Amino acid sequence: MTNKKKPKVYITRRLPDVVETRMRELFDAELNIEDAPRTQPELVAAVKTYDVLVPTVTDRIDAALIEQAGPQLKLIASFSNGVDHIDVDAAARRGITVTNTPNVLTEDTADMTMALILSVPRRLAEGAQLLTDRKGEWAGWSPTWMLGHRIWGKRLGIVGMGRIGTAVARRAKAFGLSIHYHNRHRVHPATEEALEATYWDSLDQMLARVDIVSVNCPSTPATYHLLSARRLALMQPSSYIVNTARGGIIDEAALIKSLREGKIAGAGLDVFEHEPAVNPKLVKLATEGKVVLLPHMGSATLEGRIDMGEKVVINIRTFFDGHRPPDRVLPGRV
């Protein structure tokens, strides 16, 4: 890119310092120092002016916005793994390339998933709150106090055995869980053998037979409310559900009802159907020890965010060097 005009890049949120510094070195980059979410009018102004838009999952890049883009906008380089916030097909119709940042959040998200798998049955959040929010209530150890359930020997049902689901399975196997999974396609026999995993082509049948459900599939129109009221009703009253994927994959209202009626023992949620809003009924369930709630922090490690930023930089540089960016998202695949 030496001796070439630097592409104008509009970044919608604050990124790690090292990433922003690299962006300014290589591009004519507009940073978001305050980290306030960009408004829709600001995004409209950006797509009319800049060559590259770098959005995140909190930005809505829909067809209406894309239709207002000027002819100079050639690349939407999303700082995200998922692209359900972008109308990729609309971008393709305008000749705009879309990229994402896959394969760098797998281990971090799998770590958080495993943390929730441990936290919910073992009542970790309740125990921590007792010492910080309800000081003086702990009278000391007793044989029957704060009893949870062991996870060793339990069955884990993974919904979506992609990169993250497989990484979760590796961790869970080390904790003594038996691995069951439902996926659009069966994984490679070598992977299945290494994990001693049982494949279920019927999600309904798997849900009825596992002790813990981990949601790790992508968010697509086909997976919206995949865990519906009917499917949640198939789960055992002693079972738990963990979601670190996207909130809309579970029918949140049906989940709340199931938890309230004791038809599911508990849940660990890092994502919510109407983020950033969190249903007050879920918050109440959390105070009662029925759920563990986290603010969408499954991939929130400094290392992961820097890796994502490096991918964005590579995608932009590759594109403006006249080559196909390595993380291009093809229309019709989302």
Side-chain angles (χ1 to χ4, degrees), residues 104-146:
V104 296
L105 304 178
T106 299
E107 304 303 329
D108 296 332
T109 306
D111 284 346
M112 189 62 77
T113 305
M114 197 66 220
L116 285 172
I117 290 172
L118 288 165
S119 295
V120 182
R122 292 303 306 271
R123 305 174 66 179
L124 298 191
E126 287 180 82
Q129 289 170 0
L130 185 76
L131 297 179
T132 57
D133 301 339
R134 294 154 54 190
K135 295 178 182 178
E137 289 190 23
W138 184 44
W141 183 90
S142 82
T144 58
W145 183 77
M146 283 292 289

Side-chain angles (χ1 to χ4, degrees), residues 203-247:
L203 176 58
D204 289 7
Q205 291 184 17
M206 185 185 79
L207 291 173
R209 291 167 172 83
V210 296
D211 303 296
I212 304 169
V213 174
S214 177
V215 180
N216 301 109
C217 59
S219 174
T220 68
T223 61
Y224 176 75
H225 282 191
L226 180 68
L227 277 297
S228 60
R230 181 187 67 79
R231 285 199 165 113
L232 291 171
L234 299 173
M235 294 174 60
Q236 303 174 46
S238 59
S239 62
Y240 301 89
I241 188 165
V242 167
N243 187 8
T244 55
R246 286 290 188 270

Side-chain angles (χ1 to χ4, degrees), residues 22-86:
R22 190 63 174 149
M23 291 274 196
R24 291 299 297 267
E25 289 172 348
L26 295 171
F27 316 126
D28 181 4
E30 174 71 20
L31 306 181
N32 184 347
I33 302 302
E34 293 78 20
D35 199 32
R38 301 291 193 180
T39 65
Q40 210 66 14
E42 287 175 326
L43 291 175
V44 170
V47 299
K48 289 181 176 179
T49 306
Y50 288 81
D51 306 312
V52 183
L53 178 67
V54 180
T56 69
V57 295
T58 60
D59 300 303
R60 186 182 176 197
I61 315 300
D62 58 14
L65 175 65
I66 291 169
E67 284 303 313
Q68 298 180 74
Q72 84 296 326
L73 183 69
K74 297 299 181 184
L75 178 64
I76 299 174
S78 190
F79 186 87
S80 65
N81 181 36
V83 290
D84 48 302
H85 57 297
I86 302 172

